[in-house]
Amino acid sequence: MTTLELPTTLDAALGRPGEPRAGGTDLTERRKFHLSRGTVVDLRDVPGLDAVTWREGQLHIGALVTLAAVAEHPDVRARYPAIAATAAAVATPQIRARATVGGNLLQHVRCWYYRRPGADCLKAGGTGCPARSGDHLFHACFDLGPCVAPHPSSLATALLAHDVRIEVAGDREHSLASLYGDASDARRQHQLPAGAILTGVTLGPPLAGEQAAYVRAISRARAEWPLVEVVARLVVADKQIHTAIVTVGGVANLPLRLGAVEQLLTGKPATEETLRLASAVAADGAKPLAGTAYKLDLLRGAVLDALERALAEKPAAAPAAAPAAAPAPT
């Protein structure tokens, strides 16, 4: 029997048995397949989780802020263009209008074995990963752990490219890395303890003059989910790349930062040749499954595309003093 809890304060929501619901776009489907059972703790009436605000000069995005609001927010667009572009590309307009920051970060993998009742999947309580020997066409090409389902959060790929703090009630503050761990425990979707609630994300200072881009490569039949996605952030001065940050999603069971690509960009001339040489190493270290080797060329091409788009962007203006508050669009 399903019980719906509607707490009206964060304290009342903490520690309640059951699964929290934010926008519900992922939870609703998982309940249909009996991957989530029992009590639902709906967070809709908990105040303070649905706003974008400035806190001591840093932008804080509440866990219940929708992806559509993130994409449209003037401060996010002006100061964190890669995050705004990523949020604007997720799924469909209908889903972006409901899906939330917290829900996107904590959603479960989209693997069809995990979501098929009765499959012997580690994340569903089984003993193995049937995708390894089964249909894994859209799965990982960087084999990092027991589960080869790609990490499902596009927003996590964007946040990995930024200095962020994940704020959690009922647990310690997390970095993005500590939120997800090293993926060695395939039974877990994230590292939060039961009863804890992700309350928001605080962004570090923007980069003055940054040029950023987001690129996602998709299957026409599954346009909702990226095969490969790339976030690129560049700071260029005097025709030289002074800062380069490149992160990728859709290729591993965690979002990845491409240090080798960044190293070949930093301190180099801001030319097409530099971008091509750097993107050529984007797939170095990959261990593709038999059906995912095609992703290697796709990844290299998407990284080059993102770098070219970022370099073509107009540099952002130097950040002005943060306003006292900036509520999310309604």
Side-chain angles (χ1 to χ4, degrees):
M1 176 175 151
T2 300
T3 301
L4 178 65
E5 301 280 354
L6 292 169
T8 57
T9 67
L10 186 57
D11 286 342
L14 277 175
R16 291 202 181 195
E19 187 168 3
R21 179 168 70 186
T25 59
D26 178 47
L27 179 61
T28 299
E29 182 183 72
R30 287 189 288 109
R31 291 186 74 83
K32 180 175 68 175
F33 293 121
H34 306 293
L35 292 168
S36 174
R37 299 179 176 87
T39 301
V40 172
V41 182
D42 198 318
L43 302 177
R44 69 178 193 184
D45 296 329
V46 176
L49 301 182
D50 61 350
V52 180
T53 56
W54 287 97
R55 298 180 179 178
E56 299 180 351
Q58 295 186 310
L59 193 65
H60 176 82
I61 305 175
L64 294 189
V65 175
T66 66
L67 297 184
V70 171
E72 296 165 5
H73 196 281
D75 285 326
V76 180
R77 294 178 65 181
R79 304 180 191 210
Y80 304 94
I83 294 177
T86 302
V90 171
T92 64
Q94 295 89 343
I95 290 176
R96 292 194 294 271
R98 287 289 302 173
T100 64
V101 168
N104 188 270
L105 291 175
L106 300 182
Q107 67 184 300
H108 290 210
V109 295
R110 307 302 304 185
C111 177
W112 38 73
Y113 293 103
Y114 170 64
R115 292 174 184 260
R116 186 184 72 190
D120 185 28
C121 165
L122 282 163
K123 278 186 163 54
T127 61
C129 178
R132 285 187 173 276
S133 58
D135 184 356
H136 52 248
L137 182 63
F138 299 145
H139 281 58
C141 60
F142 285 81
D143 190 352
L144 304 182
C147 172
V148 295
H151 195 273
S153 175
S154 292
L155 193 59
T157 300
L159 294 182
L160 183 61
H162 295 76
D163 178 19
V164 300
R165 303 195 315 274
I166 311 296
E167 298 183 8
V168 182
D171 193 23
R172 65 184 176 89
E173 183 178 276
H174 282 269
S175 65
L176 201 72
S178 68
L179 177 66
Y180 297 129
D182 62 2
S184 60
D185 184 354
R187 298 182 185 278
R188 304 194 67 166
Q189 307 281 350
H190 52 76
Q191 300 300 306
L192 298 187
I197 295 174
L198 193 156
T199 59
V201 175
T202 298
L203 306 177
L207 299 175
E210 81 167 83
Q211 299 165 249
Y214 170 77
V215 167
R216 67 197 273 127
I218 59 176
S219 163
R220 291 187 66 179
R222 297 178 183 271
E224 202 177 339
W225 303 101
L227 300 171
V228 172
E229 56 188 341
V230 182
V231 169
R233 301 176 71 201
L234 302 176
V235 176
V236 178
D238 299 324
K239 299 183 180 180
Q240 189 173 61
I241 301 172
H242 285 256
T243 302
I245 302 172
V246 181
T247 58
V248 296
V251 296
N253 53 10
L254 292 171
L256 301 178
R257 186 164 171 176
L258 299 184
V261 173
E262 296 172 359
Q263 187 175 3
L264 286 175
L265 291 168
T266 306
K268 303 299 193 303
T271 63
E272 180 69 19
E273 179 64 16
T274 295
L275 304 189
R276 288 188 180 279
L277 288 173
S279 62
V281 305
D284 285 9
K287 296 179 181 179
L289 303 173
T292 62
Y294 75 94
K295 280 195 174 187
L296 303 185
D297 283 338
L298 193 61
L299 173 59
R300 296 183 190 103
V303 169
L304 178 59
D305 190 7
L307 291 172
E308 289 174 337
R309 293 190 189 196
L311 196 58
E313 286 291 324
K314 181 179 179 181
T330 57

